[in-house]
Amino acid sequence: MPCSSPASVVFRCFKCIERSADRATGAAGPVLVTLGVGLLGMGTVCFFDVIEPTLPFRLLLTPLCVLIAGNMFAHYYYACTVPPGFTQGPVAPGARGTAEGDRMPEPRGWNWAPMRRDRREWEMQMTPARVTLCRRCGGRKPERAHHCRVCNRCVLKYDHHCPGINQCVGIYNERHFVLFMFYLVLATWSFVIAGYSNAWEAMGFEHDWPHRSPGVAFIMTYILSIAIGLAVFIMLAWQVWGIAVGETAVESQDFAYYRRLAKERGETFVNAYDIGKRRNLELFFNTGPDGLHPWWAMLLPLRALPYTDGYSWARARGEHVGIGFRPDDEVLTDEEEA
Ligand SMILES: [Zn+2]
Ligand SMILES: [Zn+2]
C-alpha cells in the first residue's frame, strides 16, 4: 500500500490524535491529584466539623469514621506514590521512575509483613512468565506486562493509566488503588447518609448555620459525595469483578476478543490466571491460607505487597492462556506503530 493512500492518512491522523490524548492525560494527572487531595480534605473537615458531633453511639462510631478516613488518605497516598512496577528505566526525556526499573518494595515504615509461609500447591502452580521485548520501548515485557503510552514504559501487570493518581495501576499499587476506591465509597456513603439532616439545615434560611465550615462547602461536598459515591462504586464493582475472574482491564478486552474468536472456531478460550473467584481475590490481596497478609490487615492503613514479582504467575493446573495462538498474537492493545 503506498504511503499516501487515504487509509494511511487516516491512520496517521488517528495516531496523532492518540498521541495528543496521551499527552493531555499525562498533563491532567498533577491537576487531578491536587484537586483530589483538596476535595478529600474538604470532605473530611466538613464531616468531622458538622456531622460527627451529631452521630449517635459516638464512642463506637467516631473511631470507625477516623479509621475510614485514615484508610482513604493512606491508600490514596500509596496508590499515587508506590511505583506501579516499571520493567526498566526511562526511555524518553521526562519519563518517570527509577533507572533500573522497579523492584519488589521492601517492607518498611508503616508496612506490616509477617514471615512468608510456604506456598501450598493446591489447584494452582507458579510458573515463570514468558518474557518478550517491547516493540515500543525495547524493554523486557513478561506476560501480563503492557506498555503505557502516557509513561512510555512497560508496567508489570498493567491495568490502566489513571490520571486520578497521576500514574499507572500496576502490580505494586493495584491493591492500594482498589482499597482507596473501597474506602472512598464507604466515606462518601457515610457522608450522604449521616449528613442528610445537616444538608437540609445548610440549605434552609430560617436557621443560623452554627458550624465553622461554610454551609456552601458542606452542600458542595454533599452533592459531590452523591455523584462520586455512585460513580466510584460502579468502577469498584467492575474492578473487583475483573479481579474475581482473573483479568486486568487490558486482558478483559483481549480475552473478550479471544472468546469470540474461539466461539467462531468452535473451541473454548481458557484463561489460566483464573483459579476460581475466591482464590483469585485471595491472591490479589495476598491473603488467605498461604498469603503474606491476614485478611484484617486490609482494615488498617498498611502497605500491601503482591504475591509475585510479576515474573512468574499462579496458574490453574495444566492450563495456559489461549486457544492455540502464536505468542505474537497475544497482545492486541500494544499494536505496532506505523
Ligand atoms: Zn514498552
Ligand atoms: Zn502510565
Side-chain angles (χ1 to χ4, degrees):
M1 194 188 286
C3 270
S4 54
S5 75
S8 143
V9 171
V10 169
F11 184 74
R12 264 181 291 158
C13 240
F14 175 74
K15 281 288 167 197
C16 188
I17 293 167
E18 198 180 60
R19 270 194 293 274
S20 308
D22 291 341
R23 270 197 291 274
T25 308
V31 179
L32 287 177
V33 170
T34 310
L35 190 72
V37 172
L39 287 177
L40 291 180
M42 184 172 82
T44 308
V45 168
C46 280
F47 183 89
F48 284 97
D49 177 34
V50 179
I51 303 175
E52 190 272 331
T54 67
L55 286 178
F57 316 111
R58 280 179 73 190
L59 216 60
L60 182 78
L61 288 183
T62 301
L64 198 67
C65 292
V66 171
L67 190 67
I68 291 173
N71 269 300
M72 180 178 76
F73 279 106
H75 287 297
Y76 188 56
Y77 173 75
Y78 294 139
C80 292
T81 56
V82 171
F86 295 117
T87 60
Q88 66 157 28
V91 292
R96 287 161 283 188
T98 55
E100 294 83 30
D102 300 332
R103 295 276 172 269
M104 176 84 95
E106 283 300 316
R108 78 175 93 85
W110 278 38
N111 299 343
W112 187 89
M115 288 219 302
R116 187 186 277 275
R117 278 160 284 179
D118 285 336
R119 187 167 292 283
R120 265 183 272 166
E121 295 218 340
W122 299 340
E123 66 277 26
M124 63 155 209
Q125 57 191 355
M126 290 291 285
T127 39
R130 181 173 45 77
V131 181
T132 53
L133 287 182
C134 177
R135 284 178 292 196
R136 284 165 182 257
C137 67
R140 283 167 302 154
K141 197 160 86 174
E143 59 184 275
R144 305 198 91 176
H146 286 271
H147 186 88
C148 174
R149 289 200 313 261
V150 180
C151 302
N152 201 19
R153 296 166 73 179
C154 279
V155 176
L156 296 166
K157 202 184 175 200
Y158 177 76
D159 193 273
H160 67 287
H161 184 96
C162 178
I165 60 167
N166 191 32
Q167 65 169 346
C168 295
V169 177
I171 191 164
Y172 292 126
N173 66 345
E174 58 182 3
R175 271 155 303 282
H176 296 301
F177 182 73
V178 170
L179 287 171
F180 163 64
M181 287 202 288
F182 174 74
Y183 284 107
L184 179 62
V185 167
L186 265 189
T188 50
W189 287 18
S190 308
F191 197 98
V192 171
I193 294 166
Y196 179 74
S197 57
N198 304 98
W200 277 117
E201 196 188 343
M203 277 187 283
F205 299 103
E206 64 267 35
H207 299 295
D208 283 337
W209 177 253
H211 310 283
R212 268 167 294 181
S213 327
V216 65
F218 187 87
I219 294 174
M220 212 173 94
T221 311
Y222 195 85
I223 294 167
L224 277 174
S225 292
I226 296 173
I228 292 171
L230 204 67
V232 175
F233 176 74
I234 293 166
M235 279 156 60
L236 175 68
W238 185 68
Q239 199 84 26
V240 171
W241 174 254
I243 298 163
V245 296
E247 292 176 1
T248 63
V250 175
E251 287 163 356
S252 80
Q253 290 172 21
D254 289 0
F255 293 177
Y257 170 77
Y258 291 159
R259 281 191 188 97
R260 271 201 308 278
L261 204 63
K263 207 175 165 190
E264 280 166 24
R265 292 187 194 171
E267 294 176 83
T268 37
F269 169 75
V270 174
N271 172 16
Y273 309 129
D274 180 6
I275 313 164
K277 290 193 176 62
R278 193 200 160 105
R279 283 297 288 152
N280 293 340
L281 284 162
E282 282 178 353
L283 283 175
F284 180 88
F285 290 106
N286 200 1
T287 179
D290 52 357
L292 184 64
H293 309 294
W295 65 268
W296 48 262
M298 285 191 280
L299 303 177
L300 301 169
L302 301 168
R303 284 275 286 109
L305 299 173
Y307 79 92
T308 168
D309 62 359
Y311 287 87
S312 64
W313 291 102
R315 277 169 241 257
R317 278 209 169 278
E319 302 280 17
H320 35 135
V321 176
I323 43 173
F325 287 94
R326 287 180 297 115
D328 294 351
D329 293 340
E330 181 146 320
V331 182
L332 294 172
T333 42
D334 283 4
E335 78 290 352
E336 189 124 60
E337 201 148 357

